[in-house]
Amino acid sequence: MALIRNNALRPRILIVGGGYLGLVVAQNLLSDLGRGEATVTVVDPNPYMTYQPFLPEVAGGNIEARHAVVPLRRNLRGAEVITGSVASINHEKKFVVIEQDGDEPFELDYDQIVLAAGSVPRTLPIPGLAEEAIGLKRIEEAVALRDHVLGRIAEASLMEDDAERRKALTYVFVGGGFAGIESLAELEDLARAAVAQYDTLTEADLRFVLVEAMGRVMPEVGEAQARWVVDHLRERGIDVYLETFLQDCTDKHIKLSNGEEFDADTIVWNAGVKANPVLVDSDLPLDERGRVTVRADLRVESEEGVVEGAWAAGDNAAVPDLSGEGPGGFCVPNAQHAVRQAPVLAKNLLAAMRGESEFTQYFHKSLGAVAGMGLYKGVSQMGSFEARGVLAWLMHRGYHGYAIPTLDRKVRVFANWGLNLVLGRDVTPLKDLDVPRKAFVEAAHSKPAPKKEPAKA
């Protein structure tokens, strides 16, 4: 295995993860580093950062998929960007093992490491879940989910078997947090718009089901707002099951803990997240939930004290919440914290490299929460101020349109919204995105046309 060493005169700052946190940390470092002071290296499996709050709108067809991602190389001029996965971390010897598709793994050394690997879906050992369900953490999942929903509607419009039609038009969403509610609401909005184009289907043929294990939805908002969300969803014809578990979905046959059973062609899992498992194969300190333990200044900390040269924030870190609002005393894993932790981490890292001893403590009091629930529908809570409907929907779009990094993406997103408001939602499905060679392979294997005998004179 090859070891790629850095020039000893330029220490390497290795950022593991090119998500929101990794991108903004790298941007801050690049703007504040002196000429030749350090090399900034970003490693991520994707060549882009995904703005995850927009995944429901991508799935709902309101935003073009490429406009919800930020290309790393274009926006990190002067940094090394490696498209690959960090397989393991050896902080004692200061190197990581990186794996790239189609290439041999290699070792990369570093002087400072920033753990910004984010989170992955937290799944449960439910029969059939791994085989039949889909998450909504990646842009590819949002695109696939949109086209799957639209494709099943098109196929159902031609079905004569009632049971098969019901299965094709039944959509189950597990998890009633922000991500689950927004995904469900956006796709239900999309499905109703699509059904209107078919003479053989009506909105009554659609069945959307929300399964939530807790007794309420959206813990980020108050009780009154949470009850309103449930009432609003039920008014739209969505079945909301609280204090209910998904017990089995083998072969897309749904079994719920309330005793109900039915078939569903679409199962979307949004029941929480966990820290990226890359951290497990490392010698860095982790808590019982697999998160890196850090101080409020975002330095990694073990039982023996600060781990020199190691920093972490975002979803893969247990960051103390000095405001006292976070559950268990830690910051919740959301973009609101990540975008504010990034400049603090970059500032403190540079201070440590330059021999300074004073570090900034991360403190942020939550601004509130905003959620979109389809066109002109939303819910928000900013302290004691609560909004519902169109106002909350505008607040959601305004906040996230501002928050997505880079002017280029802001312009494209607002242009998407403007065009959709004028021209209407595009509900055209794209077929076979998961098997793009299908038509070519079928053509290559098709039988040649029989030769015709020349006509006799």
Side-chain angles (χ1 to χ4, degrees), residues 17-85:
Y20 206 129
L21 178 74
L23 171 70
V24 180
V25 167
Q27 288 178 324
N28 278 267
L29 289 173
L30 291 169
S31 65
D32 294 338
L33 281 167
R35 183 177 181 85
E37 186 177 4
T39 297
V40 177
T41 302
V42 179
V43 182
D44 193 273
N46 299 308
Y48 49 77
M49 182 280 285
T50 300
Y51 189 67
Q52 293 189 4
F54 278 158
L55 291 180
E57 291 216 48
V58 171
N62 293 319
I63 296 175
E64 162 65 32
R66 282 185 294 270
H67 299 166
V69 300
V70 178
L72 296 177
R73 285 187 175 85
R74 177 177 177 180
N75 292 283
L76 294 177
R77 305 276 186 188
E80 291 180 337
V81 177
I82 299 175
T83 302
S85 300

Side-chain angles (χ1 to χ4, degrees), residues 290-449:
R291 302 174 299 180
V292 185
T293 54
V294 300
R295 292 187 174 188
D297 58 18
L298 307 180
R299 289 183 291 173
V300 174
E301 180 182 39
S302 68
E303 293 180 355
E304 288 74 35
V306 171
V307 179
E308 297 297 336
W311 308 78
D315 295 2
N316 67 182
V319 181
D321 189 344
L322 300 183
S323 73
E325 296 180 342
F330 298 103
C331 297
V332 297
N334 61 20
Q336 188 176 144
H337 280 297
V339 70
R340 290 167 176 81
Q341 289 167 1
V344 174
L345 191 156
K347 177 183 178 182
N348 287 343
L349 190 156
L350 289 178
M353 286 182 58
R354 293 164 180 168
E356 300 174 17
S357 58
E358 295 294 324
F359 300 103
T360 300
Q361 305 290 299
Y362 174 71
F363 176 89
H364 172 63
K365 191 174 179 63
S366 176
L367 299 176
V370 290
M373 301 175 65
L375 286 176
Y376 313 116
K377 299 176 282 290
V379 61
S380 69
Q381 183 159 345
M382 303 290 185
S384 60
F385 176 75
E386 298 177 345
R388 304 165 183 172
V390 176
L391 176 58
W393 174 75
L394 289 171
M395 293 170 64
H396 164 77
R397 288 201 161 182
Y399 174 78
H400 287 297
Y402 166 78
I404 186 171
T406 79
L407 178 61
D408 167 69
R409 262 33 191 182
K410 296 180 198 295
V411 170
R412 292 178 188 274
V413 164
F414 279 104
N416 284 171
W417 288 335
L419 288 172
N420 281 347
L421 289 175
V422 174
L423 302 177
R425 190 200 304 263
D426 189 340
V427 294
T428 305
L430 298 177
K431 290 186 61 180
D432 302 327
L433 286 178
D434 55 338
V435 283
R437 295 181 64 248
K438 180 180 177 182
F440 178 81
V441 171
E442 289 176 351
H445 291 153
S446 62
K447 294 181 179 180

Side-chain angles (χ1 to χ4, degrees), residues 168-184:
L169 298 178
T170 299
Y171 309 94
V172 177
F173 290 73
V174 184
F178 255 61
I181 296 293
E182 287 188 305
S183 303
L184 165 65

Side-chain angles (χ1 to χ4, degrees), residues 6-8 10-14 91 94 109-113 308-310:
N6 195 28
N7 187 331
R10 293 184 67 183
R12 173 180 278 125
I13 303 171
L14 176 64
H91 188 66
K94 297 282 186 75
D109 71 339
Y110 64 83
D111 297 276
Q112 302 277 339
I113 190 169
E308 297 297 336

